[in-house]
């Protein structure tokens, strides 16, 4: 099997899009924090277009949706991971890969699968998550004061389940490193040297800032910083803006889809 065919099949499995993507009916689980739409028990059937994910959510008054898959980031954000990783491989940018906020492991499984497809054995994939959901907002971070993500049970991804998900794809090996716990505790203590791709998916100001302060200085020149929640969570966007301003980061922020953005690092922190 060619690397590209394997990668494409893996992406479709992780996002549950093996069926035609346009105007398909999907059974989706809804967040209990929303109650105005999709009241068919814990599940609902909607007409869903993968290419219009953001528009669908806006039409549903902010209704967030999770398909029965290992990832809820959608195809475009998966393609962005592939784009960034293939570029660091092609350009020989040194470093490992990390996602802070892995949920069921979909994005990091994809990272590990890409390394396997290209027979790369000298990079690790770090999976950083509490595996217990999100933290209670800290008064130290006013931007998080209205956050209720810590109450959302659907955001809890049990550690054993995430490991099983890696194993299901035959991608659980010594190139996968789990950092279990709150970012403020695990990231400073982690044995991380150089990073080539950093993907932030923490949903809160605190979680985003923890990722930036502990990881950005380890990101190689030519490496990529990806932010999943830029368009979806104002507190996350504020953390990015504050960090960039503090360190005079001027690289262009490039949109991926309705919420995700990224940039390529071109200079060290000031």
């Amino acid at each position: 099997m060619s690397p590209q065919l394997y990668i494409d099949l893996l992406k479709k499995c992780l996002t549950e899009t093996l069926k035609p993507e346009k105007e398909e009916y999907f059974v989706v689980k809804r967040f209990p924090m929303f109650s105005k739409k999709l009241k068919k028990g814990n599940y609902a059937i909607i007409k869903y277009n993968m290419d219009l994910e953001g528009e669908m959510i806006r039409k549903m008054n902010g209704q967030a949706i999770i398909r029965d898959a290992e990832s809820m980031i959608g195809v475009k954000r998966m393609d962005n991971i592939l784009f960034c990783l293939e570029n660091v491989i092609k350009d020989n940018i040194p470093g490992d890969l990390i996602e802070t906020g892995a949920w069921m492991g979909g994005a990091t499984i994809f990272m590990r699968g890409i390394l396997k497809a290209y027979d790369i054995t000298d990079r690790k994939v770090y999976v950083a998550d509490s595996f217990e959901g999100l933290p209670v907002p800290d008064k130290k971070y006013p931007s998080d004061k209205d956050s209720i993500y810590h109450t959302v049970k659907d955001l809890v991804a049990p550690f054993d389940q995430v490991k099983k998900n890696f194993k299901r794809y035959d991608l659980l090996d010594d190139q996968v490193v789990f950092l279990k716990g709150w970012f403020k505790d695990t990231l400073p203590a982690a044995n991380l040297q150089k990073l080539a791709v950093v993907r932030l998916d923490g949903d809160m100001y605190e979680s985003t800032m923890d990722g930036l302060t502990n990881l950005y200085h380890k990101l190689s020149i030519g490496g990529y910083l990806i932010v999943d929640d830029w368009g979806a969570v104002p507190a996350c966007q504020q953390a990015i803006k504050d960090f960039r301003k503090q360190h005079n980061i001027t690289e262009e922020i490039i949109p991926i889809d309705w919420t995700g953005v990224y940039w390529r690092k071109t200079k060290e922190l000031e």
Side-chain angles (χ1 to χ4, degrees), residues 26-31 34 37-38 44-50 52-58 60 62-68 71-74 77 103 154-155 258:
F26 289 86
V27 177
V28 299
K29 187 185 297 183
R30 64 183 176 88
F31 279 128
F34 299 104
K37 303 285 183 179
L38 307 181
I45 299 177
I46 63 169
K47 201 170 189 180
Y48 189 77
N49 186 327
M50 285 296 297
L52 299 175
E53 181 175 13
E55 184 62 25
M56 283 296 302
I57 291 175
R58 283 190 289 272
M60 296 162 65
Q63 173 79 42
I65 32 185
I66 305 176
R67 291 172 301 283
D68 185 18
S71 178
M72 57 174 134
I73 68 173
R77 276 170 276 165
W103 194 53
D154 281 311
L155 292 178
W258 68 279

Side-chain angles (χ1 to χ4, degrees), residues 170-234:
D170 196 24
L171 294 172
L172 183 63
D173 58 17
D174 59 5
Q175 281 182 253
V176 178
V177 181
F178 294 97
L179 302 178
K180 186 177 184 296
W182 304 121
F183 301 153
K184 64 182 180 181
D185 300 320
T186 60
L187 297 182
N191 185 28
L192 296 167
Q193 302 301 318
K194 284 286 187 181
L195 295 167
V197 176
V198 174
R199 190 173 196 280
L200 306 178
D201 192 358
D203 299 299
M204 299 173 68
Y205 185 100
E206 177 183 4
S207 302
T208 304
M209 191 60 77
D210 284 341
L212 289 167
T213 56
N214 287 289
L215 302 176
Y216 196 80
H217 65 287
K218 297 181 179 182
L219 183 62
S220 297
I221 300 299
Y224 288 91
L225 191 287
I226 306 170
V227 186
D228 189 84
D229 302 309
W230 170 272
V233 183

Side-chain angles (χ1 to χ4, degrees), residues 83-97 115 120 122-124 194-198 218-225 264-266 268:
F83 169 82
C84 294
L85 189 43
E86 285 188 329
N87 275 344
V88 301
I89 293 169
K90 174 175 63 71
D91 296 339
N92 199 28
I93 305 300
D96 296 315
L97 323 171
L115 295 182
I120 294 172
D122 60 350
R123 296 184 194 260
K124 293 184 183 296
K194 284 286 187 181
L195 295 167
V197 176
V198 174
K218 297 181 179 182
L219 183 62
S220 297
I221 300 299
Y224 288 91
L225 191 287
R264 193 169 198 179
K265 186 175 180 181
T266 61
E268 296 294 353

Side-chain angles (χ1 to χ4, degrees), residues 1-4 6-7 112-120 171:
M1 182 184 296
S2 72
Q4 287 302 325
Y6 169 80
I7 290 168
R112 179 64 190 95
I114 295 168
L115 295 182
K116 183 174 183 177
Y118 286 106
D119 196 26
I120 294 172
L171 294 172

